Amino acid sequence: MNPVYEKLLKCYDCYKKRIDFVPKAAIVLGSGLGNFARTVDVKAELPYSEIEGFPVSTVPGHAGRFIFGYINEIPVVLMQGRVHYYEGYPITDVVLPTRLMKMMGAGILFLTNASGGIDPSFHAGSLMLITDHISSFAPNPLIGPNIDELGTRFPDMSHVYDEDLQEIIRTTAKDNGIELFEGVYAQLTGPSFESPAEIRMLHRLGVSAVGMSTVVEAIAANHMGMKICGVSCVSNLAAGMNSTPLTHEEVQEAANAVAPKFEKLLTESVSRFAKYM
Ligand code: HPA
């Protein structure tokens, strides 16, 4: 059997033995949203370290576990902490958690992250609805023998971010007085931040925000037929757009500051997803 699929099945077995909960939506919590679980009616937890073969994050602020519970009666699984390609994991490990959450039962995937803002109208603390992505600077997670049990060899990527879910998030932001920008997100590998020349290049390519995650997860989820949506928290202006050097601490602080607004948007939007499940 394909070793990538075999590992996934082993992780699924481990989840099945430990957790009696079937989520309908999956939420990946990016930087700053680590405390989001407070707003969820939590029923169970599964630390990544207790799942055999599961990639465990090494990044400060990315403590890793699945949290199972309800957001207004909707059964969800949260990923508190994700793994990034720059940590050295094979790209198939980076998307293993996403695939696993689909196997658990989640048909919807809500991706969140922190990013550098490239669109000149953004500021630190802006929230951006992801309308499309550029994956060309990160390895494609579907490289290797296709896992036919998960999806097709050449999946279409014309509508990765579900239009209906986007509209719900847009309306939810409006109803709650939350300013929500929109744009294209590009994933680069990191871990170094971009150079100003790279940011100018991305700007010319139509990128509004840049980060080190999300796109590979969206590709793997789309391959498996999940409905996907994503919101990015612009934690800083991208390199060269202001005079101070970028630091991970700055990213975390800014993301923490936006957290209440972001949490509200997330909770309210997911509550309105019910009719799509
Ligand atoms: N670049 C890449 N990733 C990021 C940034 C950035 O400026 N900010 C937060 N994540």
Side-chain angles (χ1 to χ4, degrees), residues 124 235-237 242 244-255:
S235 56
N236 55 278
L237 293 181
N242 70 21
T244 52
L246 300 176
T247 66
H248 181 61
E249 289 69 30
E250 173 195 357
V251 168
Q252 280 190 313
E253 272 168 35

Side-chain angles (χ1 to χ4, degrees), residues 80-102:
Q80 196 179 49
R82 56 147 68 88
V83 290
H84 301 82
Y85 182 60
Y86 62 72
E87 292 176 76
Y89 294 100
I91 197 68
T92 47
D93 270 3
V94 176
V95 300
L96 181 149
T98 305
R99 289 173 160 166
L100 183 56
M101 293 192 292
K102 169 69 164 62

Side-chain angles (χ1 to χ4, degrees), residues 19 29 39 96 100 148 158 180 230 248 263 265:
I19 304 290
L29 301 173
T39 64
L96 181 149
L100 183 56
D148 296 331
S158 307
L180 183 64
H248 181 61
E263 286 177 8
L265 181 62

Side-chain angles (χ1 to χ4, degrees), residues 22-85:
V22 176
K24 288 198 168 166
I27 304 171
V28 181
L29 301 173
S31 300
L33 284 177
N35 288 326
F36 179 72
R38 278 179 318 199
T39 64
V40 174
D41 175 17
V42 176
K43 296 297 177 197
E45 291 187 6
L46 183 59
Y48 300 154
S49 58
E50 293 177 18
I51 308 173
E52 205 191 314
F54 196 92
V56 178
S57 177
T58 58
V59 186
H62 279 270
R65 60 189 153 165
F66 285 119
I67 296 171
F68 303 88
Y70 292 91
I71 294 179
N72 290 333
E73 328 228 310
I74 295 180
V76 297
V77 54
L78 310 180
M79 272 188 79
Q80 196 179 49
R82 56 147 68 88
V83 290
H84 301 82
Y85 182 60

Side-chain angles (χ1 to χ4, degrees), residues 155-175:
D156 177 61
M157 293 283 151
S158 307
H159 301 282
V160 176
Y161 302 89
D162 187 85
E163 293 289 345
D164 295 329
L165 299 184
Q166 284 190 53
E167 190 51 30
I168 293 175
I169 298 169
R170 232 175 248 128
T171 312
T172 306
K174 211 170 183 189
D175 293 348

Side-chain angles (χ1 to χ4, degrees), residues 31 113-118 185-186 188 190-194 199 209-213 233-239 246-248 251-252:
S31 300
N113 62 36
S115 62
I118 298 179
Y185 173 91
L188 272 63
S192 49
F193 288 111
E194 302 72 34
I199 294 302
V210 60
M212 306 175 192
S213 67
C233 161
V234 176
S235 56
N236 55 278
L237 293 181
L246 300 176
T247 66
H248 181 61
V251 168
Q252 280 190 313

